[in-house]
Amino acid sequence: EEGNLYLLQTRAHRLTKLFAATGYDSSLTIGGKGIGGEGFNQPTRMKVQNRQAIWVLDQMNRRLVLLNTNLKVTREVDFLNLSAGPGTDLDEEIYPEDIAASPAGELFLLNQNDNRVYKLDPFGKLQLAFGGMDYGDGSLSSPTAMECSGGNQIFVADGEEQTVSVFDMYGVFLFLLPPLESLAA
């Protein structure tokens, strides 16, 4: 909204914010190689949910970090100690490939271990899982990326199938977007 730029530097283990108000010549940086707190160990994905919330996936530390506008850590979700909500089982270890955040603050993790999407509430508790190899029409064989729309839909790109599966916020499969080549024919 303010025109600021965020640069996620995986090899340097840091995130830099460049300020539009100063012509991008002023910056703020967080990170450096580390295990916890403000240190990162291979930050691979970043989602700017809104002006106030920046989520960073710290893949090697197996955590998700919430930063405020000043790049201060306000909360983190530790995938090694992830707790499940009532009526939800967590059978797989979480190794996220990608993350998405809904406008309401719910988090979605694309797990590379089982090709499933895990939904977390705004406090980091597991609510449900969907997708995967055995999910019927919503099966995912090789998901690579996902995004949450303003209309509360989750779009999951499947590289092997060359399609995008669309789910609602409760994990219900809605429809499949076909490959671009089939739309041109």
Side-chain angles (χ1 to χ4, degrees):
E1 295 171 9
E2 298 165 339
N4 297 325
L5 297 176
Y6 293 92
L7 177 61
L8 186 64
Q9 299 166 292
T10 300
R11 290 186 182 166
H13 312 282
R14 65 182 176 217
L15 172 69
T16 300
K17 177 180 181 180
L18 302 165
F19 294 94
T22 61
Y24 303 106
D25 69 352
S26 293
S27 65
L28 184 62
T29 300
I30 185 175
K33 194 161 179 88
I35 293 177
E38 293 186 354
F40 293 126
N41 192 5
Q42 195 178 6
T44 56
R45 298 276 201 258
M46 175 193 66
K47 299 288 179 173
V48 180
Q49 181 181 355
N50 56 40
R51 185 180 172 280
Q52 303 294 323
I54 303 144
W55 289 99
V56 177
L57 175 60
D58 188 5
Q59 198 166 36
M60 293 300 284
N61 282 335
R62 295 188 55 204
R63 68 182 183 146
L64 187 61
V65 180
L66 176 63
L67 306 172
N68 65 15
T69 55
N70 297 322
L71 302 186
K72 296 293 181 198
V73 176
T74 59
R75 188 175 41 180
E76 69 177 63
V77 178
D78 180 2
F79 302 129
L80 294 171
N81 299 310
L82 192 62
S83 60
T88 311
D89 292 327
L90 182 60
D91 299 330
E92 255 329 295
E93 288 193 48
I94 304 290
Y95 288 96
E97 178 76 22
D98 199 6
I99 58 172
S102 76
E106 299 156 318
L107 300 171
F108 296 86
L109 310 172
L110 181 58
N111 192 21
Q112 61 187 339
N113 263 11
D114 59 2
N115 297 334
R116 298 177 84 189
V117 176
Y118 289 87
K119 179 182 177 181
L120 307 177
D121 68 16
F123 304 103
K125 283 198 181 227
L126 179 66
Q127 290 185 321
L128 66 98
F130 57 92
M133 298 292 286
D134 58 351
Y135 202 67
D137 287 338
S139 291
L140 302 169
S141 27
S142 183
T144 55
M146 72 177 166
E147 194 62 51
C148 185
S149 74
N152 292 327
Q153 294 177 330
I154 307 300
F155 293 80
V156 183
D158 195 319
E160 188 173 301
E161 300 295 323
Q162 296 293 304
T163 57
V164 175
S165 297
V166 183
F167 300 89
D168 70 8
M169 300 300 279
Y170 305 103
V172 176
F173 175 74
L174 299 175
F175 57 91
L176 191 68
L177 293 174
L180 290 177
E181 304 87 55
S182 66
L183 295 175

